[in-house]
Amino acid sequence: MILRAISSVGIGLWLVLAPACAGDAPARSAAEIMDILMWNREPVGGPFELVDHTGHIRTERDFRGKLMLVYFGFTYCPDVCPTDLQAIGLAMDRLGSDADKVQPLFITVDPERDTPQHLADYVPLFHPRLIGLTGSLDAIHKAADAYKIYSAKVPLGKDSYTVDHTAFIYLMDRDGGYLGFFPPGTSADRMIEIIRPHLAR
Ligand code: NI
């Protein structure tokens, strides 16, 4: 599928997501969103109010003072999300004691299936400090819009669906400001190379 192609081929195929798929019509196309990110056309990030995998309400203000690694995906994602979450977990492990200064967040683009309970079974597979976030459709849409995430439900047969989504790992500074993004498939070591200088500041 599309997501599989992206994970194996990389950057060049992000734009393959551009044709609108059946299902929920996203507000903006993937191509538009890529332009915004690549050419810095609009701010990335901002306030959110979501529910974590332990059932507590969390806002972006809870993470002030730490760098944030923000990843949008969904737990039924067959390979891209697990691969990137594994890399995030590995980066956290390799940061050693500096990992305390970084907060990884996994925000679902599939809140209907990704309940807090469901996230509680999922996020610890990748790292004990990974926080899973879900919420109402509206709250998730707001967060996804703020982070310039493209996602669209795609029906799989009669009763099932998957979600096409952009899989960027955002790095945010201690005040919640946008520093940049890692493309899907970025290695843990590459993440650390970028993160470390920001920890020293
Ligand atoms: Ni995914």
Side-chain angles (χ1 to χ4, degrees), residues 143-185:
D145 285 349
Y147 279 87
K148 308 299 179 279
I149 289 293
Y150 169 91
S151 78
K153 241 182 183 180
V154 180
L156 289 178
K158 216 174 149 198
D159 302 314
S160 184
Y161 63 90
T162 186
V163 185
D164 280 346
H165 66 101
T166 39
F168 303 122
I169 303 160
Y170 295 100
L171 180 63
M172 312 298 287
D173 71 17
R174 294 184 176 94
D175 301 313
Y178 174 64
L179 291 170
F181 70 89
F182 300 108

Side-chain angles (χ1 to χ4, degrees), residues 24 71-75 77 81 106-114 119 133-134 137 140-141 144 149-153 161-166:
D24 287 358
Y71 189 72
F72 286 74
F74 66 115
T75 66
C77 183
C81 291
F106 176 67
I107 304 180
T108 184
V109 292
D110 185 14
E112 289 159 280
R113 290 186 296 196
D114 288 342
L119 288 172
L133 295 169
T134 185
L137 267 177
I140 290 292
H141 280 156
I149 289 293
Y150 169 91
S151 78
K153 241 182 183 180
Y161 63 90
T162 186
V163 185
D164 280 346
H165 66 101
T166 39

Side-chain angles (χ1 to χ4, degrees), residues 4 6 18 30 32 39 51 58 85 87 93 100 105 117 140 159 167 178 185 188 199:
R4 199 171 301 270
I6 287 178
E32 254 179 289
W39 305 107
V51 181
R58 307 302 289 260
L85 289 171
D93 284 341
D100 294 346
L105 301 176
Q117 296 82 347
I140 290 292
D159 302 314
Y178 174 64
L199 288 174

Side-chain angles (χ1 to χ4, degrees), residues 10-121:
I11 298 170
L13 279 182
W14 289 344
L15 296 176
V16 168
L17 282 167
C21 298
D24 287 358
R28 292 163 126 171
S29 72
E32 254 179 289
I33 283 174
M34 269 318 298
D35 271 0
I36 292 169
L37 289 172
M38 304 228 6
W39 305 107
N40 231 347
R41 289 199 176 142
E42 290 177 23
V44 175
F48 59 75
E49 186 174 299
L50 298 167
V51 181
D52 74 15
H53 64 278
T54 68
H56 293 98
I57 291 181
R58 307 302 289 260
T59 77
E60 83 296 341
R61 290 183 302 277
D62 295 344
F63 311 112
R64 289 288 152 81
K66 290 183 181 186
L67 302 181
M68 291 192 293
L69 278 173
V70 184
Y71 189 72
F72 286 74
F74 66 115
T75 66
Y76 287 87
C77 183
D79 54 12
V80 178
C81 291
T83 302
D84 287 333
L85 289 171
Q86 251 166 26
I88 290 170
L90 197 56
M92 292 294 286
D93 284 341
R94 290 186 187 163
L95 278 167
S97 57
D98 281 339
D100 294 346
K101 301 168 193 159
V102 180
Q103 180 58 61
L105 301 176
F106 176 67
I107 304 180
T108 184
V109 292
D110 185 14
E112 289 159 280
R113 290 186 296 196
D114 288 342
T115 59
Q117 296 82 347
H118 194 74
L119 288 172
D121 291 334

